[in-house]
């Protein structure tokens, strides 16, 4: 594996889940692997879990960590070739990426979708710019299209909490006052393509995800019907893909309640807005896995870093 940019970089999901779970039992086992190696984390957007779990993961492997809030501390970057840089951008990706790679052995990049221009977001300029010019492995810490470390943590969490050979997993849209990106939902959909599960997506009409990502998935517009006999319910808001980046509905009847959850386990990547996306009783109840999911972010990141260190 050269980079970890999407769930497509996972060589074998069952093996990776087994390895991550073993790593969770003995997190310090590979403490010498990352000695004298440095992980650089460049954040163009906010974070709690990704930032701290990636640092923890690197520390468990004996790595040093450098963190930069690039979005408000770094020079504004230019990505287009041949541009006359007499506007806002002060530095080109052709210099910035190789410079950072002189200081860091692996670089993590978080740069969200801006939800204004579908084609521009789809180009994933920041992530792909670093992957093209850095010369060291790149880890996607959430890009416009995907959040593969989150999806790996989610798969580990489902495996830990399922005794069934083929659980029913439902991804349900929920209301939110802001326009949110598609990255978490996209990667979860792709991950369920690798996981042996009965997988259903439910959302109001107009909230269809990229049809290339959901090709072959069961889509159910009736949330109650989708949730019937679910073992895991993953709730997430995303903005419209077809009417790109727009909030088309805030229908509160899509909020997940304890009554709707039934006997299923509840999942969400966090951060979550209480009593908008999901009611208190679910988050505070015994079926919520959200804290476990956040804990597994450390081991998904640690596994990816270990594989990249071993491949160097
Ligand atoms: N789930 C997740 O990526 O959390 P942060 O945005 O806080 O990193």
């Amino acid at each position: 594996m050269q980079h970890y940019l999407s769930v497509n970089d996972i060589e074998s999901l069952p093996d990776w889940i087994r390895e991550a779970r073993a790593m969770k039992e003995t997190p310090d086992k590979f403490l010498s692997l990352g000695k004298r190696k440095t992980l650089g984390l460049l954040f163009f957007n906010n974070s709690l879990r990704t930032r701290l779990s990636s640092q923890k993961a690197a520390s468990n492997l004996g790595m040093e960590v450098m963190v930069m809030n690039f979005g408000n501390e770094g020079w504004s970057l230019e990505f287009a070739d041949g541009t006359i840089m007499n506007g806002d951008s002060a530095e080109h990706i052709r210099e910035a990426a190789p410079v950072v790679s002189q200081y860091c052995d692996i670089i993590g990049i978080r740069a969200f979708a801006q939800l204004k221009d579908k084609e521009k977001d789809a180009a994933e300029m920041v992530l792909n710019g670093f992957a093209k010019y850095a010369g060291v492995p790149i880890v996607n810490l959430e890009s416009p299209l995907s959040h593969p470390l989150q999806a790996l943590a989610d798969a580990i969490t489902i495996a830990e909490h399922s005794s069934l050979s083929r659980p029913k997993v439902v991804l349900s849209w929920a209301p939110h006052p802001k326009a949110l990106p598609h990255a978490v939902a996209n990667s979860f959909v792709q991950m369920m393509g690798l996981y042996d599960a009965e997988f259903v997506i439910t959302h109001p009409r107009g909230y269809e995800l990229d049809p290339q990502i959901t090709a072959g998935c069961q889509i159910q517009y009736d949330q109650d019907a989708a949730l019937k006999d679910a073992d895991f319910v993953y709730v997430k808001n995303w903005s419209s893909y077809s009417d790109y980046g727009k909030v088309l509905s805030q229908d509160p009847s899509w909020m997940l309640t304890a009554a709707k959850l039934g006997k299923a386990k509840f999942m969400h990547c966090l951060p979550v807005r209480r009593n908008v996306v999901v009611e208190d009783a679910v988050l505070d109840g015994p079926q919520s896995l959200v804290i476990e999911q956040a804990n597994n972010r450390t081991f998904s990141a640690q596994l990816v870093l270990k594989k990249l260190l071993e491949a160097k």
Side-chain angles (χ1 to χ4, degrees):
M1 183 173 62
Q2 192 186 354
H3 303 292
Y4 186 65
L5 302 181
S6 79
V7 300
N8 297 327
D9 291 315
I10 295 173
E11 289 132 3
S12 161
L13 182 62
D15 289 349
W16 279 39
I17 290 175
R18 249 191 312 276
E19 209 177 321
R21 292 178 71 178
M23 196 171 247
K24 194 171 172 179
E25 296 292 317
T26 53
D28 294 342
K29 189 171 173 188
F30 301 97
L31 198 52
S32 57
L33 186 66
K35 194 174 174 202
R36 303 295 303 152
K37 304 282 185 190
T38 300
L39 173 67
L41 298 174
L42 306 184
F43 285 89
F44 292 77
N45 300 98
N46 295 348
S47 170
L48 188 164
R49 280 144 289 272
T50 304
R51 180 169 173 157
L52 298 185
S53 64
S54 300
Q55 289 193 54
K56 177 77 178 164
S59 153
N60 286 347
L61 293 167
M63 299 181 81
E64 306 288 329
V65 184
M66 292 178 179
V67 185
M68 184 169 178
N69 292 321
F70 213 104
N72 50 23
E73 294 169 359
W75 301 111
S76 175
L77 292 181
E78 176 62 53
F79 295 89
D81 285 335
T83 314
I84 297 168
M85 288 173 55
N86 59 0
D88 291 338
S89 300
E91 178 153 31
H92 203 283
I93 186 70
R94 284 175 175 265
E95 284 79 50
V99 165
V100 176
S101 68
Q102 293 178 117
Y103 313 139
C104 303
D105 300 279
I106 299 175
I107 302 171
I109 306 284
R110 166 166 280 202
F112 289 170
Q114 295 185 348
L115 296 176
K116 292 189 172 75
D117 180 333
K118 188 187 275 189
E119 278 70 41
K120 196 170 170 195
D121 283 344
E124 304 210 286
M125 279 187 317
V126 182
L127 184 72
N128 289 333
F130 274 92
K132 185 170 179 184
Y133 295 113
V136 298
I138 301 298
V139 177
N140 183 350
L141 306 177
E142 188 173 337
S143 66
L145 299 186
S146 62
H147 196 356
L149 285 178
Q150 179 66 53
L152 181 55
D154 298 336
I156 296 166
T157 309
I158 292 174
E160 285 177 330
H161 289 272
S162 178
S163 53
L164 301 167
S165 58
R166 198 163 187 272
K168 178 174 177 182
V169 180
V170 179
L171 171 63
S172 178
W173 180 91
H176 197 284
K178 307 257 188 198
L180 298 190
H182 309 98
V184 170
N186 284 346
S187 287
F188 189 70
V189 171
Q190 291 171 320
M191 184 58 80
M192 286 301 102
L194 303 178
Y195 201 99
D196 192 7
E198 178 193 347
F199 181 54
V200 182
I201 306 171
T202 184
H203 53 69
R205 290 186 191 276
Y207 276 96
E208 292 78 10
L209 292 161
D210 180 348
Q212 289 191 312
I213 289 174
T214 58
C217 290
Q218 197 181 322
I219 297 172
Q220 167 63 262
Y221 294 107
D222 178 339
Q223 190 190 37
D224 290 336
L227 295 177
K228 192 169 179 313
D229 299 327
D231 299 300
F232 295 88
V233 179
Y234 198 113
V235 174
K236 183 71 185 84
N237 171 270
W238 59 87
S239 55
S240 175
Y241 179 74
S242 53
D243 196 354
Y244 194 65
K246 296 285 187 311
V247 175
L248 304 180
S249 168
Q250 295 193 48
D251 181 354
S253 73
W254 278 80
M255 179 179 79
L256 193 81
T257 62
K260 287 189 203 177
L261 185 64
K263 292 185 174 152
K265 303 281 189 193
F266 170 74
M267 299 181 73
H268 190 284
C269 62
L270 302 181
V272 70
R273 291 187 181 229
R274 282 175 171 252
N275 304 308
V276 175
V277 172
V278 54
E279 70 175 359
D280 283 342
V282 173
L283 282 167
D284 298 334
Q287 290 154 250
S288 175
L289 300 181
V290 297
I291 306 302
E292 265 309 299
Q293 282 174 266
N295 188 35
N296 282 334
R297 290 295 307 276
T298 297
F299 304 103
S300 70
Q302 193 172 334
L303 181 68
V304 166
L305 293 175
K306 174 177 174 283
K307 289 190 175 291
L308 292 171
L309 287 168
E310 286 170 342
K312 269 174 87 80

